[in-house]
Amino acid sequence: MPLRIRTAIALSIAALGCGGGGGGVTGPAPIATLSVDLARSSILIGETTTATGTARDASGNVLTGRAMSWSSNNSAVATVSTTGSVTAVSAGTTSITAASEGRTGTAMLTVAVPPVATVTVSLASSTIGAGSTTQATATTKDANGQVLTGRAVSWASDNSSVATVSTAGVVTGVNAGSANITATSEGRSGSAAVTVVSVAVASVTVSVASSTIGVGQTTPATATTKDAGGNVLVGRSVTWSSDNTTNATVSTTGVVTGLATGTANITATSEGQSGFAGITVAPQLGFGSSGEKIRIVDIGSVFTPALSGPSSSTTTFVSRATSVATVDAQGRITGVGEGQVWVAATAPGWVADSVYVIVPRTSTGPVLRSDLTTFNVKAGSTIVINIILDTRSTPIGGAELSVGYTTSPALFTSVTWAATGSPAPVVSNLQGGVLRVSLASGSPLTGELAMLRLDFTIAPSSNASGFLTLTLIDLVSPTGTDLLPVSTSTRIPIIIQ
């Protein structure tokens, strides 16, 4: 090769190697900002939307082809896939975030509960008898036909003289005819027709709350009417009768009253069908005399209520709380620990009886009590109760106590009270059914201190019960020493007959 050609090639290679002017190769521009856009920023549960991430350089130029990762800060509200597809899960808000090359962008998403679009009603049975029932069910759906659960539904019948419907959708046939049962939810409604046909009573069964009662005692009887298919029929007229009114009578509402020892059949009749239940009027076992029905028994002391009727050898004695008091086979009751307890006596062929035993915390300290000696009172009667603080030989200088009585149900009406004793305590009505009584004296007080007189009229209802609650809150000696580290309460039963 001629010398001049080789020299020209070498110069050309050298020129390429030196570059010239510093114009070297550069990499892709870094991401400066990353923003996220949602196709829809508010969607309903179950719907989807698309999230799009846009990357830009420092000059605001859009950068394409950059890898991004996606996340939701509350996946219980909405989830997001690796491609930015967002799915609503439950109502609420969440942020959808894209990340790339150390930069992040976020968009807020709101997920709402889909509204009810349609309501359909179905009946377990579209034809029922008068007095029978069937269940109506409402199904709520959204605009896409998806079932919606947990929506509030109200029920109505367009002909309540034919059929009624409860708040739970229970349809009851009343008279022959047809009615539309409608369910409404969020302004949308649906209906189903029910046909009520006349169904005759096929059977009547009678039950009594207690099959054995004493003379003068009562027990309710209940009649259940059914059709030939065994379905319960409600609202049917029932008449009552006793086949032995010498021993027991029954009222038009089914209340049975024992009159003399013996038996009787109590019969209910409806639409020519009858059923009956036997009742036994037994002699009343007596456990505790009229002055022994409520008794204070100290720990370690023994109390033997009078027993009349059967002998102790044929009588079973039971304490309902042996931690408070025990009873032996002869009916001797022994106080064990603080509290109140029923002790019952039962014998075959006799109506059981009970006494109510109150065991104070200590056998020597003061005790708050009433002068009630029996828990049985007549409906409609008026009773007077005196509340007494028995110091039991312990001198006191002051006391604080409360007296409460049952207010629901309203068993005690026309209640009046007055402070008693000398010095007279201060009585205040804290709230319905609770009185506060305060006593203070400049000199020592001992003995049975009358504190409060209560006058009650007993409501004219039967088979009900209530309580008096006596609470000794504070007790001090004449020198101001605390005699009662912990308050004590006693409940005294009142049983209305």
Side-chain angles (χ1 to χ4, degrees):
M1 180 183 295
L3 179 59
R4 63 178 181 271
I5 294 175
R6 289 199 304 269
T7 302
I9 293 173
L11 290 174
S12 297
I13 293 172
L16 289 172
C18 293
V25 178
T26 60
I31 296 175
T33 63
L34 185 58
S35 61
V36 174
D37 295 298
L38 297 172
R40 288 187 296 157
S41 60
S42 179
I43 58 176
L44 302 177
I45 294 173
E47 291 184 335
T48 61
T49 189
T50 301
T52 302
T54 302
R56 288 181 170 84
D57 62 17
S59 300
N61 299 309
V62 174
L63 303 175
T64 60
R66 302 303 170 94
M68 295 184 187
S69 62
W70 293 95
S71 63
S72 167
N73 82 325
N74 191 344
S75 57
V77 172
T79 60
V80 59
S81 71
T82 56
T83 59
S85 178
V86 180
T87 301
V89 177
S90 64
T93 59
T94 185
S95 58
I96 304 300
T97 301
S100 182
E101 300 177 15
R103 302 293 184 179
T104 59
T106 298
M108 294 302 298
L109 175 72
T110 300
V111 178
V113 176
V116 172
T118 62
V119 179
T120 56
V121 175
S122 60
L123 299 171
S125 177
S126 60
T127 301
I128 59 175
S132 296
T133 62
T134 189
Q135 180 66 54
T137 303
T139 302
T140 54
K141 294 181 179 180
D142 62 18
N144 295 320
Q146 298 297 314
V147 174
L148 305 174
T149 60
R151 301 305 170 94
V153 174
S154 61
W155 292 95
S157 168
D158 70 349
N159 193 343
S160 57
S161 64
V162 171
T164 60
V165 60
S166 73
T167 56
V170 177
V171 180
T172 302
V174 179
N175 291 298
S178 61
N180 290 312
I181 305 302
T182 300
T184 301
S185 181
E186 299 177 16
R188 303 293 183 177
S189 298
S191 299
V194 64
T195 300
V196 181
V197 297
S198 294
V199 176
V201 173
S203 66
V204 179
T205 57
V206 175
S207 61
V208 289
S210 177
S211 60
T212 301
I213 59 175
V215 174
Q217 293 183 339
T218 62
T219 189
T222 303
T224 302
T225 56
K226 295 182 179 180
D227 62 18
N231 301 304
V232 174
L233 305 175
V234 297
R236 299 305 171 97
S237 177
V238 174
T239 58
W240 292 94
S241 63
S242 167
D243 71 348
N244 191 339
T245 55
T246 299
N247 294 338
T249 59
V250 59
S251 71
T252 56
T253 57
V255 177
V256 180
T257 302
L259 299 181
T261 57
T263 61
N265 289 318
I266 305 302
T267 300
T269 302
S270 180
E271 300 179 14
Q273 303 297 318
S274 298
F276 69 91
I279 192 82
T280 299
V281 182
Q284 177 68 58
L285 180 154
F287 187 45
S289 66
S290 60
E292 296 177 331
K293 303 305 288 182
I294 299 176
R295 188 65 172 256
I296 293 176
V297 180
D298 288 319
I299 294 174
S301 296
V302 176
F303 162 53
T304 305
L307 178 67
S308 61
S311 65
S312 60
S313 62
T314 60
T315 302
T316 301
F317 303 95
V318 178
S319 169
R320 304 303 181 192
T322 55
S323 61
V324 176
T326 59
V327 61
D328 65 14
Q330 285 70 48
R332 290 188 294 261
I333 299 171
T334 302
V336 176
E338 180 187 12
Q340 302 95 51
V341 60
W342 290 100
V343 180
T346 62
W350 295 82
V351 176
D353 198 10
S354 299
V355 295
Y356 189 73
V357 175
I358 301 169
V359 181
R361 178 175 298 166
T362 66
S363 59
T364 57
V367 63
L368 185 63
R369 63 176 177 83
S370 77
D371 63 352
L372 274 178
T373 57
T374 182
F375 40 77
N376 293 318
V377 298
K378 292 293 184 181
S381 64
T382 298
I383 60 173
V384 177
I385 302 173
N386 291 291
I387 308 302
I388 299 164
L389 177 58
D390 188 349
T391 70
R392 302 207 283 187
S393 302
T394 299
I396 68 167
E400 190 86 10
L401 57 104
S402 69
V403 178
Y405 55 88
T406 300
T407 58
S408 180
L411 303 178
F412 308 116
T413 62
S414 303
V415 181
T416 61
W417 64 85
T420 56
S422 180
V426 176
V427 182
S428 58
N429 188 6
L430 294 182
Q431 58 185 2
V434 179
L435 303 171
R436 190 70 169 259
V437 184
S438 300
L439 175 68
S441 174
S443 58
L445 299 173
T446 58
E448 296 185 350
L449 307 178
M451 302 290 286
L452 182 70
R453 169 185 164 134
L454 290 169
D455 292 71
F456 294 105
T457 297
I458 304 300
S461 60
S462 60
N463 300 310
S465 62
F467 286 92
L468 286 177
T469 303
L470 311 181
T471 303
L472 191 54
I473 300 171
D474 195 15
L475 193 66
V476 295
S477 71
T479 60
T481 302
D482 188 2
L483 299 176
L484 188 71
V486 181
S487 63
T488 61
S489 291
T490 300
R491 298 184 77 195
I492 301 173
I494 304 290
I495 299 175
I496 301 173
Q497 297 180 329

